[in-house]
Amino acid sequence: MELQIIQNRIYEIRGMRVMLDYDLAKLYNVENRALKQAVKRNIDRFPAPDFMFELTREESDAAIELGVSQNVIPPGYNVGSSFIMAFPELGVAMLSSVLKSKKAIQVNISIMRAFVTLRQYSLGYAELNRKLDEFMIETNVQFSDIYEALTEKKKKKELDNKPRKRVGYVQDEEKEQ
């Protein structure tokens, strides 16, 4: 399975990277209802929230609104008390023990690779951000030194341009006549 397809289905909710039940059901090629039933039958394998959590009404509405606009989630998905389940990486890994088909195992392997790839991107981004901060600090120090040198030069020039007392012989015009 192509990693890009899976990565596009990983969302950030409550500060965690998660996959939603309807996306997982599509990937596993099972009905969403069946996936939810399997999870509820094995709920002790999904201690909340690091393995699975249900979205609040507001979170569900936002996810559905986004999904409907992208033709991902069918309208009316969140009818009744059926909230959308969100699965962080640990919960997705646990799904392979609940959904035991060969397809589920292969999809799970692909999903785990996608989560690892995203984590590597995040670490690379954090390293790049750290290096950029260091560069900015070094650059600011250099510009500060340059500014200070220019300021001193300007002060020195202003002192040099002050009117000075004339030095030397001054002729008195009255004496010459």
Side-chain angles (χ1 to χ4, degrees):
M1 179 163 287
E2 200 174 322
L3 286 179
Q4 188 63 41
I5 293 170
I6 296 170
Q7 287 175 340
N8 289 338
R9 294 180 178 180
I10 297 175
Y11 308 101
E12 185 150 336
I13 300 175
R14 298 184 194 174
M16 291 186 269
R17 287 196 176 103
V18 300
M19 292 190 76
L20 303 178
D21 57 11
Y22 53 83
D23 284 330
L24 289 165
K26 284 180 185 178
L27 292 172
Y28 290 129
N29 202 22
V30 297
E31 288 184 32
N32 193 21
R33 178 183 53 81
L35 183 136
K36 284 184 168 190
Q37 285 175 348
V39 170
K40 286 181 182 176
R41 277 191 226 118
N42 296 283
I43 197 68
D44 54 324
R45 292 179 183 247
F46 298 92
D50 54 341
F51 282 78
M52 184 276 299
F53 58 89
E54 288 186 347
L55 301 185
T56 63
R57 172 72 64 187
E58 294 79 22
E59 291 168 332
S60 293
D61 290 344
I64 290 170
E65 197 172 301
L66 176 66
V68 170
S69 69
Q70 296 176 351
N71 295 321
V72 175
I73 309 169
Y77 172 82
N78 199 23
V79 176
S81 63
S82 179
F83 286 100
I84 297 172
M85 293 178 169
F87 296 87
E89 186 175 353
L90 293 172
V92 173
M94 188 59 74
L95 277 174
S96 65
S97 68
V98 173
L99 304 170
K100 298 182 182 188
S101 71
K102 287 186 179 188
K103 171 87 173 171
I105 292 168
Q106 292 306 311
V107 168
N108 244 47
I109 290 169
S110 297
I111 291 172
M112 291 299 103
R113 287 181 176 147
F115 271 106
V116 168
T117 301
L118 281 175
R119 190 169 29 260
Q120 289 171 341
Y121 285 146
S122 294
L123 292 174
Y125 174 77
E127 177 65 16
L128 182 62
N129 200 20
R130 184 188 63 76
K131 286 182 179 181
L132 182 61
D133 285 345
E134 286 176 8
F135 173 76
M136 294 299 291
I137 289 170
E138 289 174 17
T139 305
N140 285 342
V141 167
Q142 290 172 354
F143 278 120
S144 177
D145 290 345
I146 291 170
Y147 178 77
E148 192 174 308
L150 290 173
T151 304
E152 283 182 34
K153 189 170 184 169
K154 181 180 176 188
K155 285 180 184 176
K156 188 175 180 185
K157 189 174 183 177
E158 288 172 357
L159 288 175
D160 289 346
N161 288 339
K162 278 187 178 178
R164 294 187 270 171
K165 272 187 169 179
R166 295 188 75 185
V167 178
Y169 180 71
V170 180
Q171 277 188 333
D172 193 9
E173 291 180 23
E174 289 178 12
K175 288 184 179 178
E176 286 182 12
Q177 291 177 357

